[in-house]
Amino acid sequence: MSRPTTATPPRTSAERRADVLQALAGERHVWLATAGAEGPHLVPLAFAWDGTDVIMMTKRGNRTVTNLRRTGRARAALGTARDVVLIDGPVTLAEPADLPDRVRALFGRLPLNPDQVPGVIALCLRPERVSAWRDLSEIPARTVMSGGHWLD
């Protein structure tokens, strides 16, 4: 059996970075993966991108928060199987009222808006490593951010 060929040439790192930033600005949901004593945990969460962090809200007593209190790290995934973006990094738990005004201005984009839904806590994922690819040709250079710095 022959391998499928790529219809388009691989994107440059700069093109993938631009596409990642566009997805962060335009998408509304990520899959957030955490790990705890009970094993891996994966949930969809609405998010807003403030230019630095992926901001999500969730109920403070759920398993995601328990896992993050234990490890402080998560992986977020967005896109499709044909346009993948994976974001790894530390997650800070914060009281919504303690966040800067520029972040609070984004709350209206979230279903769990803390101004309307009591008992939520903010999850602030700071990208440390970002990978992005569309097909096999992009896999070798899929890392577009490492150590919190864009590679282009």
Side-chain angles (χ1 to χ4, degrees):
M1 181 168 18
S2 65
R3 294 181 133 192
T5 58
T6 302
T8 59
R11 294 171 295 168
T12 66
S13 181
E15 290 169 329
R16 276 184 281 150
R17 174 186 177 179
D19 289 345
V20 166
L21 291 171
Q22 181 178 11
L24 286 168
E27 295 288 330
R28 296 283 189 234
H29 294 88
V30 295
W31 286 94
L32 190 71
T34 59
E38 297 178 23
H41 184 62
L42 181 67
V43 295
L45 291 173
F47 80 96
W49 171 247
D50 74 349
T52 302
D53 292 330
V54 177
I55 310 294
M56 300 155 282
M57 298 288 167
T58 194
K59 295 287 186 169
R60 54 184 79 243
N62 70 25
R63 187 169 160 192
T64 298
V65 173
T66 300
N67 291 347
L68 289 170
R69 287 191 195 286
R70 183 178 157 269
T71 67
R73 297 193 61 80
R75 169 175 277 181
L78 64 150
T80 68
R82 293 192 172 284
D83 195 1
V84 178
V85 177
L86 299 178
I87 302 167
D88 297 306
V91 178
T92 302
L93 302 173
E95 292 299 324
D98 295 340
L99 293 171
D101 289 342
R102 68 178 172 75
V103 175
R104 291 185 53 78
L106 300 171
F107 289 172
R109 289 186 58 178
L110 303 174
L112 291 181
N113 180 338
D115 295 332
Q116 299 170 352
V117 180
V120 298
I121 192 165
L123 313 177
C124 306
L125 170 61
R126 174 75 45 97
E128 198 172 72
R129 181 174 190 266
V130 176
S131 301
W133 69 90
R134 287 192 178 147
D135 59 38
L136 291 175
S137 70
E138 292 187 357
I139 293 288
R142 66 186 168 268
T143 302
V144 294
M145 176 187 277
S146 181
H149 302 286
W150 295 104
L151 299 180
D152 62 29

